[in-house]
Structures are given as C-alpha cells and as structure tokens.
Amino acid sequence: MTKLNIGIILGSTRQGRVSPQVGEWVKGIADKRGDAQYEIVDIADFKLPFLGEGTGQEQGIQAWNEKLASLDGFVFIVQEYNHSITGALKNALDSAREAWNNKAAGIVSYGSTGGARAAEHLRGILGELLVADVRVHPTLSLFTDFENGTVFKPAALHLNNVNAMLDQVIAWSGALKTLR
C-alpha cells in the first residue's frame, strides 16, 4: 500500500513570517511517524495573482492546482490576522476548486488567542471546498510559544495534540481517497 501524501501548507507570505518555523516543527513531528509522505507547501512559492486579476491561466495557478491534486490531505499552518486568516491564504484557497475536493485537513494555528478565530473562519471555507477538517486543533500562543514574537519555542504539551491531529488527518485522508 502506498503512503498518503500530506501537504503542510504555510498560510502566510509576508516578510518576517514565522509560519516556516511552525511548519518545519510540524513536519519534524510528522516525519518521525513514518505513516505518510509529508512536505512543506509554501504558497509564497507559487506567486499566485489575486483572484480575478489575471486570466486564470497563469503558470503559478496551474502549478498550484497540480501540487494540490498530488496531495491526499493537508495540514494548514494558520496565523490569525484581524480575527481571520491571511489574504494570501484566502486567495490560495480560492485559486483552486476540484483539487481540494474529498480530502482531509488539520489546522495548526497561532496568534494572541491561539489563532482560534482564524481557524474557525478556515473551517467554513474548507467545508465549501469539500475538505473535511478534523477535530483536534493544536493552538499556539504568541505569548507563550514564541520568544519576542519571532522565535518559535513551542511548549512540550503541544506534541500530543499535533500527533492526535495527524492521526485524524491520516485516517480521514485514507478514507476520503476512496471517493476520488
């Protein structure tokens, strides 16, 4: 049986972002499990135009859709900006349609309230895209899990939550793969 392919999607493109640190941390935990192929997917690498500003045929959009189509499930690294997800992540979500369908996703969020409000917004969007989001949701605090707001130093208690989330992402991704 081939292993599932799970993309760890970095939800921010701004300068000075900490999502790469969080994504690498999640990937490090995931890789030790050996139950799937995990990879970081940085939306900044695709240089997506804002939805409706281009022709829809730009090279970045095609590459983004191909990448998503190659994945069986996702872990979103989500930061809370003004009580929601970033504009870059919303645009990336909207820049694909069928490539999201019938897959599962976990959410790891961070912010002043653990990014909970952004995660709740993301859940509604994922539902519209036919992505089943799992229940376990690790939340990271800017006040206790980041040094000076820039250096990620997660508390040890998050390890169990990340593994429980990954258990659900793997189970649901495997089940949903039978629908595709």
Side-chain angles (χ1 to χ4, degrees), residues 65-79:
N65 276 269
E66 288 171 2
K67 173 49 67 184
L68 296 176
S70 76
L71 299 169
D72 298 303
F74 313 99
V75 174
F76 288 90
I77 307 301
V78 181
Q79 40 294 110

PDB file of all heavy atoms in Angstrom, residues 65-79:
ATOM      1  N   ASN A  65      -2.497  24.219  -8.613  1.00  0.00           N
ATOM      2  CA  ASN A  65      -3.524  23.190  -8.762  1.00  0.00           C
ATOM      3  C   ASN A  65      -2.915  21.795  -8.928  1.00  0.00           C
ATOM      4  O   ASN A  65      -3.432  20.823  -8.385  1.00  0.00           O
ATOM      5  CB  ASN A  65      -4.460  23.533  -9.916  1.00  0.00           C
ATOM      6  CG  ASN A  65      -5.546  24.485  -9.496  1.00  0.00           C
ATOM      7  OD1 ASN A  65      -6.616  24.075  -9.080  1.00  0.00           O
ATOM      8  ND2 ASN A  65      -5.278  25.786  -9.582  1.00  0.00           N
ATOM      9  N   GLU A  66      -1.822  21.709  -9.663  1.00  0.00           N
ATOM     10  CA  GLU A  66      -1.145  20.418  -9.824  1.00  0.00           C
ATOM     11  C   GLU A  66      -0.596  19.924  -8.491  1.00  0.00           C
ATOM     12  O   GLU A  66      -0.680  18.735  -8.176  1.00  0.00           O
ATOM     13  CB  GLU A  66      -0.034  20.534 -10.866  1.00  0.00           C
ATOM     14  CG  GLU A  66      -0.561  20.660 -12.279  1.00  0.00           C
ATOM     15  CD  GLU A  66       0.518  20.993 -13.307  1.00  0.00           C
ATOM     16  OE1 GLU A  66       1.714  21.087 -12.943  1.00  0.00           O
ATOM     17  OE2 GLU A  66       0.155  21.164 -14.490  1.00  0.00           O
ATOM     18  N   LYS A  67      -0.007  20.826  -7.710  1.00  0.00           N
ATOM     19  CA  LYS A  67       0.522  20.441  -6.396  1.00  0.00           C
ATOM     20  C   LYS A  67      -0.605  19.935  -5.504  1.00  0.00           C
ATOM     21  O   LYS A  67      -0.497  18.888  -4.879  1.00  0.00           O
ATOM     22  CB  LYS A  67       1.244  21.621  -5.741  1.00  0.00           C
ATOM     23  CG  LYS A  67       1.691  21.381  -4.301  1.00  0.00           C
ATOM     24  CD  LYS A  67       2.435  20.088  -4.058  1.00  0.00           C
ATOM     25  CE  LYS A  67       3.763  20.049  -4.723  1.00  0.00           C
ATOM     26  NZ  LYS A  67       4.430  18.722  -4.536  1.00  0.00           N
ATOM     27  N   LEU A  68      -1.700  20.687  -5.432  1.00  0.00           N
ATOM     28  CA  LEU A  68      -2.824  20.276  -4.592  1.00  0.00           C
ATOM     29  C   LEU A  68      -3.393  18.936  -5.046  1.00  0.00           C
ATOM     30  O   LEU A  68      -3.731  18.083  -4.217  1.00  0.00           O
ATOM     31  CB  LEU A  68      -3.921  21.337  -4.608  1.00  0.00           C
ATOM     32  CG  LEU A  68      -3.556  22.689  -4.013  1.00  0.00           C
ATOM     33  CD1 LEU A  68      -4.707  23.663  -4.186  1.00  0.00           C
ATOM     34  CD2 LEU A  68      -3.138  22.571  -2.557  1.00  0.00           C
ATOM     35  N   ALA A  69      -3.495  18.736  -6.349  1.00  0.00           N
ATOM     36  CA  ALA A  69      -4.026  17.487  -6.886  1.00  0.00           C
ATOM     37  C   ALA A  69      -3.154  16.289  -6.502  1.00  0.00           C
ATOM     38  O   ALA A  69      -3.655  15.173  -6.363  1.00  0.00           O
ATOM     39  CB  ALA A  69      -4.180  17.579  -8.404  1.00  0.00           C
ATOM     40  N   SER A  70      -1.865  16.512  -6.305  1.00  0.00           N
ATOM     41  CA  SER A  70      -0.945  15.430  -5.960  1.00  0.00           C
ATOM     42  C   SER A  70      -1.010  15.038  -4.483  1.00  0.00           C
ATOM     43  O   SER A  70      -0.405  14.057  -4.078  1.00  0.00           O
ATOM     44  CB  SER A  70       0.491  15.825  -6.318  1.00  0.00           C
ATOM     45  OG  SER A  70       1.019  16.752  -5.375  1.00  0.00           O
ATOM     46  N   LEU A  71      -1.754  15.804  -3.693  1.00  0.00           N
ATOM     47  CA  LEU A  71      -1.819  15.580  -2.252  1.00  0.00           C
ATOM     48  C   LEU A  71      -3.120  14.883  -1.866  1.00  0.00           C
ATOM     49  O   LEU A  71      -4.160  15.104  -2.471  1.00  0.00           O
ATOM     50  CB  LEU A  71      -1.686  16.910  -1.513  1.00  0.00           C
ATOM     51  CG  LEU A  71      -0.373  17.663  -1.755  1.00  0.00           C
ATOM     52  CD1 LEU A  71      -0.447  19.071  -1.200  1.00  0.00           C
ATOM     53  CD2 LEU A  71       0.800  16.895  -1.167  1.00  0.00           C
ATOM     54  N   ASP A  72      -3.037  14.065  -0.812  1.00  0.00           N
ATOM     55  CA  ASP A  72      -4.205  13.352  -0.304  1.00  0.00           C
ATOM     56  C   ASP A  72      -4.839  14.063   0.890  1.00  0.00           C
ATOM     57  O   ASP A  72      -5.975  13.756   1.257  1.00  0.00           O
ATOM     58  CB  ASP A  72      -3.814  11.937   0.130  1.00  0.00           C
ATOM     59  CG  ASP A  72      -3.281  11.129  -1.032  1.00  0.00           C
ATOM     60  OD1 ASP A  72      -3.996  10.991  -2.041  1.00  0.00           O
ATOM     61  OD2 ASP A  72      -2.136  10.643  -0.936  1.00  0.00           O
ATOM     62  N   GLY A  73      -4.106  14.952   1.514  1.00  0.00           N
ATOM     63  CA  GLY A  73      -4.594  15.668   2.693  1.00  0.00           C
ATOM     64  C   GLY A  73      -3.681  16.828   3.006  1.00  0.00           C
ATOM     65  O   GLY A  73      -2.626  17.007   2.367  1.00  0.00           O
ATOM     66  N   PHE A  74      -4.091  17.604   4.006  1.00  0.00           N
ATOM     67  CA  PHE A  74      -3.382  18.850   4.300  1.00  0.00           C
ATOM     68  C   PHE A  74      -3.290  19.092   5.802  1.00  0.00           C
ATOM     69  O   PHE A  74      -4.153  18.661   6.566  1.00  0.00           O
ATOM     70  CB  PHE A  74      -4.127  20.043   3.687  1.00  0.00           C
ATOM     71  CG  PHE A  74      -4.548  19.831   2.271  1.00  0.00           C
ATOM     72  CD1 PHE A  74      -5.850  19.452   1.965  1.00  0.00           C
ATOM     73  CD2 PHE A  74      -3.645  19.980   1.226  1.00  0.00           C
ATOM     74  CE1 PHE A  74      -6.253  19.243   0.657  1.00  0.00           C
ATOM     75  CE2 PHE A  74      -4.034  19.761  -0.087  1.00  0.00           C
ATOM     76  CZ  PHE A  74      -5.337  19.394  -0.365  1.00  0.00           C
ATOM     77  N   VAL A  75      -2.261  19.831   6.180  1.00  0.00           N
ATOM     78  CA  VAL A  75      -2.177  20.459   7.489  1.00  0.00           C
ATOM     79  C   VAL A  75      -1.930  21.934   7.202  1.00  0.00           C
ATOM     80  O   VAL A  75      -0.936  22.282   6.559  1.00  0.00           O
ATOM     81  CB  VAL A  75      -1.030  19.889   8.352  1.00  0.00           C
ATOM     82  CG1 VAL A  75      -0.888  20.690   9.646  1.00  0.00           C
ATOM     83  CG2 VAL A  75      -1.265  18.414   8.650  1.00  0.00           C
ATOM     84  N   PHE A  76      -2.852  22.771   7.624  1.00  0.00           N
ATOM     85  CA  PHE A  76      -2.716  24.208   7.414  1.00  0.00           C
ATOM     86  C   PHE A  76      -2.039  24.847   8.616  1.00  0.00           C
ATOM     87  O   PHE A  76      -2.467  24.629   9.749  1.00  0.00           O
ATOM     88  CB  PHE A  76      -4.091  24.861   7.218  1.00  0.00           C
ATOM     89  CG  PHE A  76      -4.716  24.549   5.895  1.00  0.00           C
ATOM     90  CD1 PHE A  76      -5.541  23.452   5.742  1.00  0.00           C
ATOM     91  CD2 PHE A  76      -4.481  25.358   4.789  1.00  0.00           C
ATOM     92  CE1 PHE A  76      -6.117  23.158   4.519  1.00  0.00           C
ATOM     93  CE2 PHE A  76      -5.049  25.072   3.562  1.00  0.00           C
ATOM     94  CZ  PHE A  76      -5.872  23.971   3.432  1.00  0.00           C
ATOM     95  N   ILE A  77      -1.004  25.622   8.344  1.00  0.00           N
ATOM     96  CA  ILE A  77      -0.361  26.436   9.368  1.00  0.00           C
ATOM     97  C   ILE A  77      -0.997  27.818   9.226  1.00  0.00           C
ATOM     98  O   ILE A  77      -0.769  28.512   8.225  1.00  0.00           O
ATOM     99  CB  ILE A  77       1.170  26.504   9.180  1.00  0.00           C
ATOM    100  CG1 ILE A  77       1.772  25.093   9.064  1.00  0.00           C
ATOM    101  CG2 ILE A  77       1.804  27.320  10.295  1.00  0.00           C
ATOM    102  CD1 ILE A  77       1.540  24.180  10.251  1.00  0.00           C
ATOM    103  N   VAL A  78      -1.811  28.180  10.207  1.00  0.00           N
ATOM    104  CA  VAL A  78      -2.674  29.352  10.083  1.00  0.00           C
ATOM    105  C   VAL A  78      -2.365  30.363  11.180  1.00  0.00           C
ATOM    106  O   VAL A  78      -2.423  30.041  12.359  1.00  0.00           O
ATOM    107  CB  VAL A  78      -4.158  28.933  10.179  1.00  0.00           C
ATOM    108  CG1 VAL A  78      -5.068  30.128  10.018  1.00  0.00           C
ATOM    109  CG2 VAL A  78      -4.474  27.889   9.136  1.00  0.00           C
ATOM    110  N   GLN A  79      -2.083  31.581  10.758  1.00  0.00           N
ATOM    111  CA  GLN A  79      -1.873  32.674  11.687  1.00  0.00           C
ATOM    112  C   GLN A  79      -3.084  33.594  11.659  1.00  0.00           C
ATOM    113  O   GLN A  79      -3.720  33.740  10.625  1.00  0.00           O
ATOM    114  CB  GLN A  79      -0.605  33.464  11.373  1.00  0.00           C
ATOM    115  CG  GLN A  79      -0.325  33.699   9.911  1.00  0.00           C
ATOM    116  CD  GLN A  79      -0.017  32.447   9.119  1.00  0.00           C
ATOM    117  OE1 GLN A  79      -0.820  32.037   8.302  1.00  0.00           O
ATOM    118  NE2 GLN A  79       1.114  31.822   9.353  1.00  0.00           N
TER     119      GLN A  79
END
